Amino acid sequence: MTTVNPAAAVQITGLQKAFGDLEVLRGIDFEVARGEVVCIIGPSGSGKSTLLRCVNLLEEPTAGQVYVGGVELTDPDVDIDAARRRVGMVFQQFNLFPHLSVLGNVTIAQRKVLRRSAEEADRIARDNLVRVGLADKVDAYPAQLSGGQQQRVAIARALAMGPDVMLFDEPTSALDPELVGDVLGVMRKLALEGMTMLVVTHEMSFAREVADRVVFMDGGVIVEEGPPSKVIGDPAYERTRRFLSRVLDPAAAEVEE
């Protein structure tokens, strides 16, 4: 029987996920403390995004348990809608409603899911748009925004729901390079504010500077984890070293057979 750690914002034990015969996660155990920023790195296909999607049950685990704030999301009897509201998620794509203004995009879930009044939803939306530096874009529509601005709207939308934990799945991968900095800047600010964050990323500078802990995944398992200075600066395993050499100096990477 799993011992629940009340101090953990997220607790994952024995997590497995298979799609048919393909085992994507093969027994994941780790915790995220309240206020901690954990960056998950690793090659494509290592299970990073699937792990993130299992945390709020966008993917249903094959086995294992996921706890958020001490509540087991994988319990068949849990109120999954109520539990999932405690977890905000930001995807690679922005998933904004094109027919709604920025303000409309940030208020719609508040009103329909949380049943907030229009006035309260409006106030909270505006407060969070200030947090992401878009107070002057409330009346704009997604097509009028850059990709970086759209992603910051998506972050504001997630924050407006009042989550305890924020999940980021490669939030800058769809952006032009010059737009990445604004999004990472917002994420740095959230980290300084004490937001619990679980971030799948290839942005090694962000992981090195902002993460409290870095987790390296490969083949559906956690290969190593620890402070950025250790995992990125002095990795213990050859597989981690090989991955980092390809990410940090792609021009020098050799073609694998």
Side-chain angles (χ1 to χ4, degrees), residues 160-178:
M161 302 297 282
D164 298 325
V165 178
M166 285 285 287
L167 311 178
F168 294 87
D169 186 8
E170 297 279 12
T172 60
S173 65
L175 301 179
D176 291 334
E178 68 269 22

Side-chain angles (χ1 to χ4, degrees), residues 34-52:
R34 299 179 195 278
E36 188 178 21
V37 178
V38 177
C39 284
I40 304 175
I41 64 174
S44 296
S46 59
K48 308 183 302 296
S49 293
T50 300
L51 170 60
L52 219 59

Side-chain angles (χ1 to χ4, degrees), residues 28 117 183 236 240 242:
I28 302 292
S117 68
V183 173
T240 314
R242 191 163 68 247

Side-chain angles (χ1 to χ4, degrees), residues 1-254:
M1 182 176 179
T2 301
T3 301
V4 180
N5 180 2
V10 178
Q11 181 178 350
I12 297 171
T13 59
L15 186 66
Q16 300 176 39
K17 177 62 181 179
F19 297 96
D21 294 332
L22 178 63
E23 286 186 287
V24 179
L25 300 176
R26 300 189 291 135
I28 302 292
D29 297 279
F30 85 110
E31 296 180 358
V32 181
R34 299 179 195 278
E36 188 178 21
V37 178
V38 177
C39 284
I40 304 175
I41 64 174
S44 296
S46 59
K48 308 183 302 296
S49 293
T50 300
L51 170 60
L52 219 59
R53 293 172 69 87
C54 283
V55 171
N56 64 353
L57 294 197
L58 288 177
E59 295 287 355
E60 186 173 348
T62 304
Q65 292 81 42
V66 176
Y67 299 84
V68 174
V71 176
E72 184 185 351
L73 270 64
T74 43
D75 183 340
D77 296 325
V78 75
D79 182 344
I80 187 59
D81 291 332
R84 192 180 277 154
R85 288 173 202 149
R86 305 177 69 175
V87 183
M89 188 157 185
V90 178
F91 300 89
Q92 296 178 30
Q93 301 299 328
F94 325 124
N95 300 323
L96 301 179
F97 293 110
H99 65 289
L100 294 180
S101 67
V102 165
L103 190 63
N105 268 284
V106 183
T107 58
I108 187 169
Q110 294 186 66
R111 292 188 288 104
K112 292 188 177 296
V113 177
L114 301 183
R115 303 297 181 187
R116 287 175 178 160
S117 68
E119 292 77 12
E120 183 182 17
D122 184 285
R123 175 181 57 79
I124 292 171
R126 291 176 185 273
D127 287 346
N128 281 289
L129 287 167
V130 169
R131 291 173 77 184
V132 302
L134 292 175
D136 61 336
K137 299 294 184 181
V138 291
D139 295 323
Y141 285 80
Q144 299 171 308
L145 304 177
S146 70
Q149 289 171 330
Q150 290 185 61
Q151 189 62 294
R152 284 188 281 155
V153 173
I155 294 172
R157 177 180 58 190
L159 291 171
M161 302 297 282
D164 298 325
V165 178
M166 285 285 287
L167 311 178
F168 294 87
D169 186 8
E170 297 279 12
T172 60
S173 65
L175 301 179
D176 291 334
E178 68 269 22
L179 302 177
V180 168
D182 290 341
V183 173
L184 293 181
V186 168
M187 295 170 65
R188 284 188 179 90
K189 181 180 176 184
L190 294 178
L192 289 171
E193 292 174 359
M195 175 63 72
T196 305
M197 297 163 59
L198 194 51
V199 184
V200 170
T201 185
H202 281 106
E203 300 288 346
M204 292 302 119
S205 61
F206 176 85
R208 195 191 299 268
E209 296 167 18
V210 180
D212 298 298
R213 186 157 42 107
V214 174
V215 173
F216 173 69
M217 288 184 64
D218 190 26
V221 299
I222 293 175
V223 176
E224 64 178 296
E225 62 178 300
S229 60
K230 183 65 178 173
V231 176
I232 299 177
D234 186 23
Y237 292 89
E238 174 59 27
R239 183 65 190 93
T240 314
R241 289 193 289 270
R242 191 163 68 247
F243 168 77
L244 288 169
S245 70
R246 296 178 69 86
V247 172
L248 297 174
D249 190 8
E254 296 181 359

